Amino acid sequence: MTGQATTEAVSAIWDLAAEEVERGSRFAGLMATGQAGGVLLSLHLARPGGIATHDALVPAGTTTYPALTPRLSAACWYEREISDLFGLRPAGHPRLESLLLPHAMPPHVLGPGLFTIPHGPVRSGVMESIEYLLETPGEEIPHLSVRLYYKHRGIEGRMRQRTPVDGVLLAERTEGVASVAHALAFCHAVERIAGCEVPRAAALIRVLHAELERLISHLDIAVRLADSAGLAVATARFGSHKEHLARLVSRMCGSRFGRGVVVPGGVSQMPAVAGADFLAEIGRLERAITSDARLLMGTASFLDRLRGTGPLRPHRAREHGALGPIGKASGFADDARRNRPYDAYQRLDIGQAREHRDGDALARLNVRWDELRQAFDLIRQAAHGLVAVGDGPLALPCGPAEGRAAGWAEAPQGEVIYDVAIDDGLISRCHSRSASFHNLPLFAEVFAGDILTDFPFIEASFGLSVAGAAR
Amino acid sequence: MSPWVLRGLREGVVTTRWPNRPDNYASSWRGPAAAPGQVPVSDELTAICPAGAISAGPDQTVRIDQGKCVLCGRCVTARPEVFGWSAGAEVAALTRAGLVVPAAEETDAGLAQVRAALAARTAALRRSVHVRHVDAGSDGSEEQEIAALLNPVYDLHRLGIFFTASPRHADVLLVSGTGTTGMAEPLRETYAGMPDPKVVIAVGTDAVSGGLLAGPPVTYGGIGDLLPVDIWVPGSPPPPFSILHALLIATGRLR
């Protein structure tokens, strides 16, 4: 951590951020921590091989600091969040509305002839609570505001003063659909602090569960897209494939979301289904899913709804550092499994990635089909590897240790980052940054020319978790 | 004929027959932790649970509040001679106290009364039920499990149960999540918008007790702090069968 940090240091790390991003690093997050002497701003930059963290202290008594957003637009939501949680005003921020605190209706309406449709927080269907304010002249959606605060649960505060072992339980509940990825990112941070190595078998089991989670999450998006297009049989079939995968995961570990598997230092248990039984089940599911995916991608009435819908331009994806399938669909791929590999990904073959540049809902679905294929392949490699490794410990002692480190993992939605500090065996700070939080601002800007009936397609193709974004 | 129709027909019936026939997946489900024996409580035992679900009963033996259990399994691993898993997905209870196991004997009469009151209230619902779901601050997994009820394996519609967009058409309110300050008002408004008779189901440990997130300043300790809850479903998250079980209790088709 920085010793002699002052407000000048804030602009110094902003200079550094701008320079690094210019040179190819990706802005990966801005987090704030209250501590003796003021508020510590922590800037994270992702680059091949790791994540670099730069700190600057805003001293107590100071209520403002120069905003980063005018120089790096991706910082916009991060600074809004810090303003809400710490009352620090980023001077020069172009759009400082509250994000995690309630704010008054209505915000500005762009022009004459427009009206606002408040969509949420209680929406039709079984959805997470979020409110979209759609500004529309009737059909098109020229402007969209997102109101996130309804689901803010204050998880990071709950982490403090818990042991790392208990912290995993909260990490898993930060973003339910990415339970394994959050547990992994959190544990990677804890393991980096303690300097402990994960046993080979555990590293493979981690990959197994992370990739099964990816399969389930991507199938859920196929279900939602098919449902939006009114394809009843496709919806039913992808729904039943997803159910079979969830049941497989629950037979392996007792939880349909892979909870309780990842612990600091390794994993808690051997999968209860393994070997030939497991591979046979995976093979059967892969054949069924691939065949249905092929049919879906040949259904013209479905493709018509996705092609050209909700396009994210490649330069915006790059500028913002769009994560996961959303970035990949717009030609910007920074997959943590390749660029900052962890656990068994260092040894497994992820395979070649096709490049996609269209950036529309169709491209995002195509990226997910590619990832689905890779996931099946990785699962098979990991399962074979597990047989070869044989018996051995599944977790090594991890700690007690003190310090601070970042951890990351590639969730189905994109990279999750944890910034964890441990003092005296207890968590003294823990920030999580889900891909959903980083990608959600992009959702508001892809509606160029799209109309109200495109909304469910664009929302499903983004596949974001509100729980992970609002925390 | 459309290739999709052929594909759907070729698969045959995948739907469970539960509750008319037993279902292997439902009965083999590993539910919240339980404490089968009458073991005297100690600080060492209560300290095992990160969610504070282990406490002392009136007779100073171990009680587990399944409404707080996050199914981490730490107690079962640490003291297998004291703790075990409950078996089966039918875990819903009609009272909050009913989730504390082993149950006290004297609650039976009270429980019968609660059951009779619910049955009287829901007598009109039996064969056609409309459900409104509200997320009051979940982690997103409960929504996945509720939505799974619509897949062909569970096929909620075969039981005459449907999801509805408008609270005005809803008989049952399914609520997930710990109850955030932000969702308190929308939740109350949704409840107020429903016609009588109405049934409220708390889905998941977070909704029942707040789980690991209970308490101020940002969240409530479960949605019982905000609404009168009729049926409590523990689980983190509860599997689709547990939610289905609660829906059938709500409509008087299961006890």
Side-chain angles (χ1 to χ4, degrees):
Chain A
M1 276 193 234
T2 50
Q4 295 292 312
T6 59
T7 28
E8 277 79 20
V10 173
S11 50
I13 65 168
W14 286 180
D15 288 343
L16 186 100
E19 203 176 297
E20 284 285 319
V21 168
E22 192 75 22
R23 270 193 280 163
S25 287
R26 177 170 57 76
F27 169 73
L30 181 65
M31 297 156 178
T33 316
Q35 61 176 48
V39 175
L40 191 73
L41 297 179
S42 308
L43 171 83
H44 298 277
L45 295 169
R47 53 172 80 122
I51 285 176
T53 306
H54 302 278
D55 288 340
L57 189 74
V58 180
T62 320
T63 56
T64 178
Y65 68 94
L68 174 61
T69 307
R71 303 175 66 177
L72 210 61
S73 62
C76 177
W77 277 36
Y78 295 89
E79 295 201 308
R80 287 171 65 185
E81 182 181 294
I82 291 168
S83 154
D84 276 1
L85 297 180
F86 294 91
L88 275 183
R89 201 174 56 81
H93 192 289
R95 187 160 170 255
L96 193 62
E97 290 167 13
S98 42
L99 188 68
L100 295 182
L101 297 176
H103 47 100
M105 266 273 279
H108 69 293
V109 172
L110 280 185
L114 292 177
F115 62 96
T116 303
I117 302 177
H119 183 44
V122 179
R123 303 190 289 148
S124 63
V126 181
M127 297 273 200
E128 287 194 71
S129 293
I130 187 170
E131 187 174 33
Y132 299 111
L133 298 171
L134 307 163
E135 281 173 31
T136 173
E139 279 283 21
E140 289 97 39
I141 309 173
H143 189 256
L144 172 87
S145 306
V146 182
R147 308 214 304 171
L148 195 58
Y149 70 87
Y150 296 99
K151 274 193 79 161
H152 177 52
R153 292 171 291 159
I155 287 200
E156 292 170 359
R158 307 279 181 202
M159 286 273 205
R160 279 196 289 274
Q161 299 309 311
R162 282 189 180 266
T163 59
V165 178
D166 288 356
V168 183
L169 300 175
L170 277 161
E172 286 172 338
R173 283 154 185 84
T174 302
E175 191 169 32
V177 292
S179 294
V180 177
H182 275 259
L184 283 178
F186 175 81
C187 287
H188 291 153
V190 172
E191 287 154 9
R192 196 159 286 124
I193 293 169
C196 69
E197 189 81 14
V198 173
R200 223 180 154 94
L204 289 165
I205 295 170
R206 285 179 168 192
V207 167
L208 212 54
H209 278 283
E211 294 303 319
L212 283 164
E213 179 172 87
R214 199 177 317 280
L215 290 180
I216 291 175
S217 181
H218 287 358
L219 279 176
D220 184 54
I221 284 157
V223 171
R224 287 169 61 188
L225 287 170
D227 191 33
S228 302
L231 291 176
V233 183
T235 309
R237 290 190 61 86
F238 287 114
S240 112
H241 299 325
K242 184 186 161 203
E243 175 68 22
H244 286 122
L245 276 165
R247 287 186 173 199
L248 177 62
V249 173
S250 73
R251 288 208 304 277
M252 288 164 71
C253 69
S255 158
R256 288 160 61 94
F257 293 82
R259 289 180 178 175
V261 173
V262 181
V263 294
V267 296
S268 62
Q269 55 189 325
M270 206 62 185
V273 186
D277 289 350
F278 175 78
L279 287 167
E281 175 87 5
I282 283 293
R284 196 186 62 73
L285 280 163
E286 183 179 18
R287 281 190 297 279
I289 292 167
T290 311
S291 153
D292 280 344
R294 200 177 303 129
L295 185 54
L296 185 68
M297 299 317 277
T299 303
S301 63
F302 177 72
L303 299 180
D304 283 349
R305 300 305 309 268
L306 267 64
R307 197 174 285 121
T309 305
L312 177 68
R313 307 282 168 226
H315 81 271
R316 276 297 294 145
R318 179 164 300 276
E319 196 173 58
H320 189 83
L323 299 169
I326 296 169
K328 287 178 183 173
S330 299
F332 180 76
D334 185 15
D335 191 323
R337 296 174 297 167
R338 289 176 197 279
N339 294 344
R340 289 170 289 286
Y342 48 88
D343 296 330
Y345 289 116
Q346 294 161 11
R347 294 185 296 274
L348 300 177
D349 175 20
I350 304 183
Q352 288 299 310
R354 275 198 297 162
E355 191 175 77
H356 299 266
R357 294 197 64 82
D358 291 347
D360 54 0
L362 185 61
R364 290 191 279 273
L365 182 59
N366 277 324
V367 168
R368 289 192 173 96
W369 294 134
D370 289 356
E371 288 198 351
L372 218 73
R373 254 192 304 280
Q374 290 166 3
F376 273 116
D377 197 40
L378 283 165
I379 287 170
R380 255 191 304 272
Q381 291 180 44
H384 283 300
L386 206 52
V387 175
V389 165
D391 289 340
L394 289 177
L396 293 177
C398 192
E402 295 199 350
R404 180 177 156 209
W408 57 87
E410 184 79 11
Q413 296 81 14
E415 186 177 47
V416 178
I417 298 176
Y418 272 75
D419 179 353
V420 180
I422 297 177
D423 277 317
D424 226 9
L426 298 175
I427 298 167
S428 58
R429 63 174 276 174
C430 176
H431 295 295
S432 63
R433 201 296 319 274
S434 71
S436 300
F437 181 83
H438 191 81
N439 281 343
L440 196 50
L442 293 172
F443 179 68
E445 57 179 77
V446 297
F447 281 85
D450 291 311
I451 59 173
L452 293 173
T453 51
D454 291 323
F455 188 90
F457 290 94
I458 300 177
E459 197 194 7
S461 76
F462 263 69
L464 303 178
S465 154
V466 184
R471 302 189 308 298
Chain B
M1 207 190 288
S2 148
W4 281 114
V5 175
L6 287 175
R7 198 163 282 220
L9 290 173
R10 200 168 55 203
E11 183 86 21
V13 177
V14 295
T15 310
T16 175
R17 306 285 290 276
W18 193 89
N20 294 329
R21 302 269 176 80
D23 186 288
N24 197 22
Y25 188 69
S27 52
S28 65
W29 180 255
R30 197 184 77 181
Q38 300 272 318
V39 180
V41 82
S42 68
D43 286 351
E44 182 223 330
L45 290 178
T46 52
I48 295 173
C49 183
I54 302 174
S55 64
D59 55 354
Q60 292 305 308
T61 59
V62 169
R63 292 284 185 284
I64 287 196
D65 184 352
Q66 297 191 324
K68 287 185 180 171
C69 176
V70 294
L71 288 95
C72 65
R74 217 166 280 171
C75 56
V76 185
T77 313
R79 297 295 296 274
E81 77 284 6
V82 181
F83 302 101
W85 298 103
S86 55
E90 298 172 29
V91 290
L94 285 173
T95 59
R96 179 68 185 82
L99 288 175
V100 181
V101 294
E105 303 265 325
E106 63 269 29
T107 54
D108 276 3
L111 190 62
Q113 213 169 10
V114 174
R115 186 174 285 138
L118 181 66
R121 194 145 51 90
T122 60
L125 302 182
R126 286 178 190 242
R127 293 288 157 192
S128 169
V129 182
H130 287 77
V131 179
R132 172 69 248 192
H133 160 259
V134 175
D135 161 20
S138 75
D139 60 35
S141 59
E142 279 89 358
E143 283 67 33
Q144 298 281 315
E145 299 300 56
I146 295 169
L149 291 172
L150 294 171
N151 75 36
V153 178
Y154 301 99
D155 190 17
L156 198 61
H157 298 170
R158 78 198 149 99
L159 298 161
I161 304 173
F162 304 90
F163 283 99
T164 175
S166 169
R168 298 263 185 258
H169 300 157
D171 309 304
V172 175
L173 185 61
L174 275 182
V175 191
S176 54
T178 142
T180 54
T181 47
M183 278 310 291
E185 201 45 44
L187 181 62
R188 284 199 195 98
E189 276 177 41
T190 308
Y191 178 77
M194 289 169 60
D196 287 325
K198 49 194 169 192
V199 180
V200 177
I201 303 178
V203 179
T205 294
D206 283 356
V208 171
S209 70
L212 294 165
L213 300 168
V218 192
T219 59
Y220 291 84
I223 57 132
D225 291 355
L226 299 166
L227 294 180
V229 175
D230 296 293
I231 301 168
W232 309 82
V233 190
S236 190
F241 270 120
S242 294
I243 304 166
L244 189 54
H245 174 237
L247 283 168
L248 292 175
I249 293 179
T251 55
R253 279 185 267 175
L254 282 181
R255 286 163 56 100

